[in-house]
Amino acid sequence: MYYSKGNYEAFARPRKPANIEAKSAYLVGGGLASLAAAAFLIRDGHMAGDRITILEASAISGGALDGAGDAETGWLIRGGREMEDHFECLWDLYRSIPSLEVEGASVLDEFYWLNKDDPNHSLQRATIERGQDAKTGMDFTLTSKARREIIELVLALPEQLYDKRINEVLGKDFFDSNFWLYWRTMFAFEEWHSALEMKLYVQRFIHHINGLPDFSTLKFTRYNQYESLVLPLITWLRQQGVKVQFDTQVMNVVFDIASDHKVANRIEWIHDGQQGGVDVTEDDLVFVTNGSLVENSQWGDHHTPAKFDPIVHDGGSWHLWRNIAAQDPTFGRPDKFCARPEESQWASASITTLDARIPAYIEKIAKRPTRTGNVVTGGIVSVRDSSWLLSWTVNRQPHFKQQPPEQTVVWFYALFTDRPGDYVKKPMRDCTGEEITKEWLFHLGVPVDEIDQLAAEGAITRPCMMPFITAFFLTRNGTDRPKVVPDGVKNFAFIGQFAESTRDCIFTTEYSVRTGMEAVYQLLNIERGVPEVFGSIYDVRELIKSAVFLRDREKLQVPFFAKRWVEKTIIGRLLEEYGLI
Ligand SMILES: Cc1cc2nc3c(=O)[nH]c(=O)nc-3n(C[C@H](O)[C@H](O)[C@H](O)COP(=O)(O)OP(=O)(O)OC[C@H]3O[C@@H](n4cnc5c(N)ncnc54)[C@H](O)[C@@H]3O)c2cc1C
């Protein structure tokens, strides 16, 4: 496998790999990583769909990419996806998946046209004092010390950041800045998370620096991501003959390990409560999603808090990874990610509004109507003075195809679930949906004497506690996550957020698709390149542009002795063109 960029490889079609007719594939986990890998096996590996089986523990495909519920009990979304134009592998996948919304179009076409017609941007990124504009504006308020620390982080070698926390490399000036408010609420970073991942994020999204304050570089789907992304993909896979075996908890993949090879030779599972499994040969390919950000996620309801369940249960993805990892040191260290749930948890809530007074408060902050089908808040609105550090967003409505027009679906989340709220005085993790609604309405600016009644009758709120939601952000080194295809392995790959693809950053749909693609391309030796991670960090124009924004557009003074050189070089011209001098 190799990486490529540019149109030559993007439009090339790989030929059939040798012996593909004799091969079959088992994909453990029915999330995006597996669905994408199955699609690449068919499209680029020429494998017949009926030779592919997905083994999924739950009763539905899509994993983290969910969208469920109904108008009576409330709509459910554990999360919403901020997306961008440089999800290279994801768009490479979705260009080939037919849209279910627009006849004759691909999912990429549909998404592209939607975001052309209705581009995203936020009109109020943060509030303070109960619904007032926090006036964070376009400024990052980074001091020169904080800027220097960011540059040092980007210049650091990855190994210098192994097992280091962000607050070991960035200081108080940085944490006091608007930049950190934007950054941590947008990506869900905490101060104790991995400095290595922070570096990868800054590098990976350097072209988004100017869009951080208003989300103008983000893009969103029409509906929730189950309906907009999972449904078209699983529909196409089924049409190709792919089988999905639900209610199948894979307990272990057993390897034959010798000095010169590592071959997966049996998958053990519990299916519909019965122990079973399948023997596999070197011709059978096995893909495992090891670890999951939504493992043990628990829903509460309007009158019941969501349970916090941080235990590693038998039959879950951590347990499976532990059993696999016990067989070889190159199969990673799951306990680096699943044994510190207090450092990886946060909670979200799906709010379905019923009372027309609530959208009026939303519209005041969003500065847009909620019911046009177009962008509403344009990304999250963060409440700067919330002790939970809460954020909320209203995506294009309806967010579900079956959603009645009088309902608005809101996604809410808080980074600090263990601190008492400002109105309810309880930590979010102990709150019912109704109590979470009260805290939200308080910060929306609803008059205090109306909050309790509106929260009780004007919305259905379903909290969701996710103990491992940022497990991949925990401090790690370069080998804690196994390589996609570990050294010496013949017929097996790790996929998803806990497989190591060194160049990209995690907590993205792109990463799941990328690892799926890298896995298929390696195991089948596919002759086409995997699209390279977008290289904005190597583009001097992007670097200059980001420097302009990191300095809050304050120009650099060119020293007298350098003036002549700057004037006479292309660098000088670029510095001027992008506004740095
Ligand atoms: C709240 C939230 C916000 C997000 N925000 C963004 C965003 O803004 N932008 C973005 O690009 N991405 C975002 N993501 C990330 C993105 O959704 C995920 O990274 C991606 O969907 C993960 O897919 P996956 O297939 O790798 O893993 P998962 O979706 O976790 O799939 C794993 C699957 O394996 C199954 N499973 C577990 N154990 C077993 C077993 N033993 N046997 C069989 N099956 C098993 C699970 O049931 C699950 O279906 C967000 C995710 C969440 C939850």
Side-chain angles (χ1 to χ4, degrees), residues 28-34 55-58 60 62-65 78-83 87 248-251 289 291-295 315-317 320 346 348 411 466 469 472 495-497 507-510 512:
V28 180
L32 181 62
S34 279
L55 305 165
E56 166 55 41
S58 73
I60 191 158
L65 290 181
R78 279 176 294 206
R81 272 80 200 170
E82 297 163 336
M83 304 180 81
F87 278 1
T248 305
Q249 291 178 302
V250 173
M251 308 301 280
T289 308
S292 168
L293 72 171
V294 288
E295 182 101 337
S317 65
L320 168 62
W346 46 256
S348 71
W411 184 73
M466 295 174 282
I469 181 71
F472 34 56
I495 54 176
Q497 307 289 308
F507 206 173
T508 64
T509 43
E510 166 70 0
S512 294

Side-chain angles (χ1 to χ4, degrees), residues 3-269:
Y3 296 107
S4 69
K5 48 185 180 293
N7 290 342
Y8 181 62
E9 294 258 354
F11 297 129
R13 285 183 298 132
R15 288 166 293 184
K16 216 181 238 197
N19 200 28
I20 190 69
E21 289 81 4
K23 293 182 186 293
S24 50
Y26 293 90
L27 299 121
V28 180
L32 181 62
S34 279
L35 301 181
F40 291 128
L41 283 168
I42 296 168
R43 188 193 72 183
D44 300 336
H46 300 263
M47 187 178 275
D50 60 9
R51 298 191 71 91
I52 300 172
T53 308
I54 296 173
L55 305 165
E56 166 55 41
S58 73
I60 191 158
S61 303
L65 290 181
D66 59 349
D70 54 53
E72 284 70 46
T73 58
W75 301 99
L76 303 175
I77 34 169
R78 279 176 294 206
R81 272 80 200 170
E82 297 163 336
M83 304 180 81
E84 60 137 9
D85 37 1
H86 292 294
F87 278 1
E88 309 292 351
C89 298
L90 182 124
W91 300 127
D92 188 311
L93 166 70
Y94 277 108
R95 74 184 160 91
S96 306
I97 305 301
S99 162
L100 299 178
E101 302 301 320
V102 185
E103 217 182 307
S106 67
V107 174
L108 171 61
D109 292 332
E110 174 202 329
F111 184 90
Y112 181 74
W113 295 332
L114 171 73
N115 284 280
K116 275 276 171 213
D117 291 346
D118 181 32
N120 187 76
H121 72 282
S122 156
L123 297 172
Q124 188 161 192
R125 173 65 180 85
T127 62
I128 196 166
E129 292 167 3
R130 308 194 54 222
Q132 304 305 306
D133 191 343
K135 297 206 165 60
T136 42
M138 293 301 283
D139 287 347
F140 288 137
T141 63
L142 288 163
T143 61
S144 52
K145 180 170 178 288
R147 287 198 301 263
R148 217 171 32 249
E149 286 173 351
I150 296 176
I151 293 167
E152 280 163 15
L153 180 71
V154 171
L155 293 178
L157 296 170
E159 54 271 27
Q160 292 168 335
L161 301 171
Y162 285 173
D163 290 314
K164 281 219 165 86
R165 298 186 309 267
I166 295 172
N167 58 13
E168 288 178 273
V169 297
L170 297 168
K172 186 172 179 315
D173 280 18
F174 175 80
F175 294 121
D176 286 344
S177 67
N178 282 351
F179 184 92
W180 178 235
L181 173 77
Y182 294 145
W183 189 268
R184 69 169 161 178
T185 51
M186 176 173 177
F187 297 123
F189 270 105
E190 310 265 19
E191 288 182 25
W192 55 83
H193 282 158
S194 160
L196 173 60
E197 195 56 34
M198 179 82 186
K199 168 194 165 68
L200 292 174
Y201 256 76
V202 177
Q203 288 180 187
R204 173 67 174 81
F205 293 126
I206 197 92
H207 55 283
H208 282 299
I209 294 284
N210 61 313
L212 278 184
D214 67 358
F215 295 134
S216 52
T217 49
L218 292 187
K219 293 173 170 48
F220 293 90
T221 53
R222 158 79 67 201
Y223 301 111
N224 63 82
Q225 285 80 65
Y226 182 77
E227 286 179 295
S228 283
L229 295 177
V230 174
L231 214 48
L233 184 51
I234 192 71
T235 303
W236 183 80
L237 290 172
R238 283 186 189 287
Q239 284 163 357
Q240 310 306 308
V242 173
K243 295 180 285 297
V244 187
Q245 185 176 308
F246 290 115
D247 298 313
T248 305
Q249 291 178 302
V250 173
M251 308 301 280
N252 199 4
V253 175
V254 182
F255 283 80
D256 170 23
I257 297 184
S259 57
D260 60 342
H261 75 266
K262 298 170 192 168
V263 177
N265 59 19
R266 183 164 173 80
I267 304 172
E268 294 176 345
W269 64 56

Side-chain angles (χ1 to χ4, degrees), residues 2 9-10 12 14 43-44 92 95 517 521 526-530:
Y2 62 96
E9 294 258 354
R43 188 193 72 183
D44 300 336
D92 188 311
R95 74 184 160 91
M517 192 172 196
Y521 276 44
I526 289 189
E527 62 184 358
R528 173 178 180 251
V530 169

